[in-house]
Amino acid sequence: MLRTDDGQTIKLADYRPSDFLLHAVDMTIRLFEGRAEIETHLALERRPGVAASVPLELDGDELSLAGLTLDGAPLDSSTYKASPDGLTVFSAPASGRFTLTVATRLVPEENSKLMGLFRSNGIWCTQCEAEGFRRITYFLDRPDVLAPYRVRVEADKAAAPVLLSNGNPVESGDLPGGRHFAVWDDPFNKPSYLFAMVAGDLDAVHEQFTTASGRAVTLGVYTEKGRSAQAAYAMDALKRSMVWDERRFGREYDLDVFNVVAIADFNMGAMENKGLNVFNHKYVLLDENIATDSDYAGVETVIAHEYFHNWTGNRITCRDWFQLCLKEGLTVYRDQEFSADEREATVQRIGSVRRLKAHQFPEDQGPLQHPVRPGEYREINNFYTATVYDKGAELVRMVATILGRDGFRKGMDLYFDRHDGMAATIEEFLACFTDATGTDLTQFALWYAQAGTPTLSVSQSYDPEADRLSVTLKQALEPGAAATQTAPMHIPVRFGLVGSNGQDKEAVTTSEAVVGDVIHLREPETTVVFEKLGDRPYLSALRDFSAPVTLKHEQSEADRLALARLDPNLFNRWRILNDLVAEALTTASRSGADATASPFASEIVEAILASASDQSLEPAFRAQALALPGETDVARLVGENVDPDHIHAVVEAARRQIGESGARLFQELHAELASDGAFSPDAASAGQRALANSALAYLVAATGDPAPATRQFSEARNMTDRLSALSLLLHHFPNSPDTIAALAEFYERHEADELVLDKWFALQATIPDASALERVETLAAHPKFTLRNPNRVRALIGTFAAANQVAFHRADGAGYRWVADRLAEIDRINPQISARIATTFRAWRSLEPVRRDYARKVLRQLVDLEHLSKDLRDIVERSLR
Ligand code: TRP
Ligand code: ZN
């Protein structure tokens, strides 16, 4: 267990309900320049059975008490105790309801943590998940305390013509002195983390939406002044999300209004506050001149995600923060399904699996490992992780695979029915699927408790005499840093038996482990026999990545190449090819290998080029076939003694090898697919741009000729093409006069747009050269750089540490030192951001000895700093364990 002087460990096993019940919240928020006055009336009641001697204990964080009454009467100072982090009332009535009125005073302008009430470009804004409400007022700030809220906001009319909160608007009007007010009423019980208030001078787009049952809803997307035209795509995505949730899950929206606000200073992507979603403006504002295709996809996904939380998160919330995956894993699953339906399912699945492997696998296989439902934490902010979100979504996907589409829907219907208006647990969630379908999920539930990526080993043998294929599956889970148990789990393995004609053969078997196209592995090892095949099939295993495992499939290269060409499951066609590519890069990256030699056997290059040129496939899929694993993916596969310079050289050599072999194809693709005018953000058009830009990248890598990239940069009519070209120029020719001119032109053109400036900073942070460190040092002193805006910090420092393997991992340790020094500075401003960026050190133990020593040294120096936040300390200490 973890222990430090300043941090206690919170444990799931210690959960108990609150001693007091909360029946209603009535708040008044008065906003002024330089201060905010908060008055909160809490209708409370001692929980029956709780002794009268037990005091009422409310949470606080950096608060100061400005007034306190109980049923209207001031409290004697001996009957309560107030401190910045809590308010204890010793005189709460033994029984019956009472009203506690708490006044606090805040200075939103000084709130640089962006939790609680803060200001962003003049806009007053709140962020309460997970524990931000206690920075606004003293409260039972826990997700299992639910109540209806009535909120009155008052502000200067000129400074804040728009006053928003949760629920429906019920009243508004003018006040003396140029001030005005608005009252919002949220009838749905909610925990405090879903509270929100926004006030400011905002522009908006509005549209009407009619739900399936005929309820009229006014939708609003609010932006900073002058930017509402860039909210059109977000509004469109919102309406599509609302329709999809009705069709796919039978879930309708429930209030008269649904508002989205775009904010420039925001710790994460967005927040699902009831009826008032608050977004990082990066996930709302776009048009083709400022945003890439992946920005469009990001807006669509995040809008859907936050909207879907209305049912999975808000109507049914989490009992405690250990259950975070109950809302996040499920909601990511739902947004992935939405994107699969709106775009191209296989390409979406490839993207999700790439993401899982790039972010969740290293987390699950390193010192920051934790179960999808953790058993303990010191700082909950550090558990908004790829494991909780993305592996959490994979677990829901496995439930759907095990139960089938109809069974899954039945279980979801029961969940909505049974737990609406409540705070639930993972056990309760799983019980709905069992009760709706009769399927026992006891063994499956281990996925929530056991940390680490299981290894799934598959082998097969075909007996031509008997015409039988035996398939043996084994599972293993190594004990890891989280020290959870490693019992065998229920692993659903989707499969196909592919004939040489590229069609699936019927799977004839007497094995009870096989249901339809899924083998249910429950034991450490199982053998399944298939009969009446006619001839030897190719075994296509783990189709659609049906379980988040490391697959070790003993299969000949010939079989794998055959499947990469003809597997009717397109996901597996990609996956098998990608595994061949990743293995070759890994072999070439191990110490002792020649980093500059061509890493691929010619068959692999041919397979890549065959996919890339196959006109029967979606361009987006072809682009995925061309996309190499990232350098951090290769580092994870190499596993020990990692030399990032060596890996970088190998990946460059791979790019050259593919580029040279496919030069003619790439020339054709780039010419054929180059954008010819009108821009459309749809998935098919984006896929064409992706393939064209991938072709361009290979051309430049193979020829070393900047001309086509220079031309594309100056002729591009959308950000996707412009940024791709600029990226190639910067990566291959960072100091050429043309590149310097292009970079300067880009800056001048977009200087006024914060979101594009982030791209300008981020791109320079990725230049794969040791001197990129000096460049980011210089950029950190640029007038447009600030440590106060999380997007800017992530763009320059976060990108450098996460995406520049060469310069961050400089062999002289200077990259580590620079990032660690910045972390110490950021930590004093915004600990959530410093802690998040610090996770880039987590793989330090797998580095070669020289870098490993430097990394350990800077981590130890960080721990020794006196004023480290709880957030950053937790990450660094766990990284060192
Ligand atoms: N619940 C949010 C989501 O996943 C994420 C979130 C958690 C968040 N904590 C936050 C967003 C703090 C902003 C700030 O949709
Ligand atoms: Zn979420």
Side-chain angles (χ1 to χ4, degrees), residues 51-319:
S53 59
V54 174
L56 168 64
E57 291 193 84
L58 302 179
D59 304 299
D61 181 10
E62 300 185 322
L63 285 180
S64 71
L65 185 66
L68 182 65
T69 64
L70 202 158
D71 287 334
L75 281 176
D76 184 89
S77 65
S78 67
T79 62
Y80 70 89
K81 210 180 127 224
S83 79
D85 16 77
L87 171 63
T88 308
V89 179
F90 301 102
S91 56
S95 65
R97 291 192 184 199
F98 63 95
T99 300
L100 192 76
T101 302
V102 181
T104 51
R105 258 172 167 259
L106 315 171
V107 185
E109 289 79 0
E110 287 174 5
N111 181 356
S112 63
K113 294 184 179 172
L114 310 182
M115 293 296 289
L117 174 57
F118 60 94
R119 288 190 84 172
S120 172
N121 290 339
I123 300 163
W124 283 273
C125 181
T126 62
Q127 170 56 39
C128 294
E129 187 177 5
E131 296 176 337
F133 196 73
R134 63 184 65 181
R135 295 170 56 78
I136 300 174
T137 188
Y138 294 102
F139 204 77
L140 294 169
D141 192 14
R142 42 187 289 170
D144 62 345
V145 171
L146 288 79
Y149 284 59
R150 192 177 171 89
V151 178
R152 178 183 167 101
V153 188
E154 300 180 6
D156 181 81
K157 205 171 176 170
V162 175
L163 306 173
L164 304 172
S165 191
N166 314 92
N168 296 317
V170 289
E171 210 191 322
S172 62
D174 288 339
L175 295 168
R179 293 177 63 80
H180 71 150
F181 74 95
V183 180
W184 290 79
D185 183 74
D186 183 1
F188 290 95
N189 277 339
K190 70 164 175 288
S192 50
Y193 83 86
L194 291 173
F195 166 85
M197 190 277 322
V198 173
D201 190 5
L202 301 163
D203 273 351
V205 285
H206 284 107
E207 282 194 36
Q208 289 299 124
F209 182 86
T210 308
T211 69
S213 69
R215 167 188 266 285
V217 184
T218 302
L219 310 177
V221 181
Y222 290 82
T223 69
E224 278 177 14
K225 280 277 164 200
R227 298 198 74 163
S228 62
Q230 292 174 337
Y233 185 78
M235 176 62 92
D236 178 61
L238 173 60
K239 287 188 291 183
R240 287 187 282 120
S241 304
M242 295 177 83
V243 170
W244 185 88
D245 213 13
E246 292 179 347
R247 297 217 176 121
R248 178 71 180 268
F249 284 101
R251 297 296 115 195
E252 276 188 35
Y253 189 62
D254 49 13
L255 289 162
D256 303 339
V257 300
F258 184 80
N259 287 318
V260 168
V261 184
I263 293 288
D265 302 282
F266 209 64
N267 281 350
M268 300 219 218
M271 180 62 212
E272 70 263 24
N273 319 294
K274 182 78 188 190
L276 178 54
N277 289 359
V278 177
F279 274 61
N280 185 327
H281 66 169
K282 169 179 163 61
Y283 292 108
V284 174
L285 300 176
L286 38 66
D287 61 42
E288 72 247 47
N289 295 314
I290 66 163
T292 63
D293 291 325
S294 68
D295 294 327
Y296 276 87
V299 167
E300 183 178 75
T301 298
V302 179
I303 286 274
H305 179 96
E306 306 309 331
Y307 174 73
F308 296 157
H309 267 314
N310 191 54
W311 275 97
T312 50
N314 301 3
R315 291 286 290 250
I316 305 177
T317 194
C318 303
R319 187 193 71 173

